[in-house]
Amino acid sequence: MATPAWPPDSTPRLFVETPLSEGAVLTIDGGQAHYLSGVMRLKPGEPVRLFDDATGEWLAEARDVRKRDLTLAVTKRLREREAVPDLWLCAAPIKKGRIDWVAEKACELGVDRLVPVLTQRTIVDRLNLDRLRAHMIEAAEQCGRTALPSLVEPVKLAALLGSWPAERALFFADETGGVPAAEAMRARPGPAAILVGPEGGFTDAERDLIRTCPAAVGISLGPRILRAETAAAAAVSVWMAAAGDW
Ligand code: SAH
């Protein structure tokens, strides 16, 4: 008879800030303790999977389980930290629920870095990076990533372009037309970024500025005007299929 898979698929999976190693004992409190003991009804001796964005994924075992906190003993490494495809998503902030969705999908689809880009028509004036990061962590826990996407401080479009690394292709989603995305991406493998505008799109002046960047390639995502969040997810998907790890 086949040995049942261990840990079972239903094993809770959590990101922790503490660096993990064999034999480490962690105290979990706050929302994560509530999730494990209250929601998942974890009992002493039961397994948990942990990852720390540095050393991979580990199997741990519940020790003392209380309502407000519990201890987990790390027993063995299940996986090394993954190599993440070298893709940045540079996206203009859009309304709250929608940018949260972009952060979640960027993580699930395999993006390495999310760069919020401030453009002339950006209407969101304060971006809550903690909230965006929380969405990415939750997505990473659920989708099995062992490496979190990095999230950098918002940067103005001109500053982003001014310091653009020459070796990184900049696929600029241009709703006024460009090279079909799949064709452009297949033609330029290697480190890449996708740039997507806000709800109101880029201004003509911004489009001209982007085109002066030697690494920029204007791409089309088809004849329909997509919402910014749809354009972001679609462009990332096409890149992953053409050049990523799908
Ligand atoms: N300016 C548009 C809407 C912009 S859509 C208008 O109001 O009519 C938001 C962003 O999604 C754009 O800036 C662009 O980066 C991307 N986008 C949307 N549809 C696209 C398409 N068909 N091809 C390439 N990029 C697209």
Side-chain angles (χ1 to χ4, degrees), residues 121 172-178 195-202 207 219-232:
R121 294 192 181 139
F172 147 54
D174 186 354
E175 72 271 29
T176 66
L195 175 61
V196 178
E199 292 91 339
F202 292 105
R207 239 180 237 106
I219 57 163
S220 164
L221 297 166
R224 291 156 294 272
I225 303 290
L226 308 178
R227 280 181 176 269
E229 69 273 25
T230 314

Side-chain angles (χ1 to χ4, degrees), residues 156-181:
K156 289 191 174 147
L157 180 63
L160 179 81
L161 298 171
S163 61
W164 193 260
E167 74 288 354
R168 183 173 297 275
L170 178 58
F171 296 111
F172 147 54
D174 186 354
E175 72 271 29
T176 66
V179 185

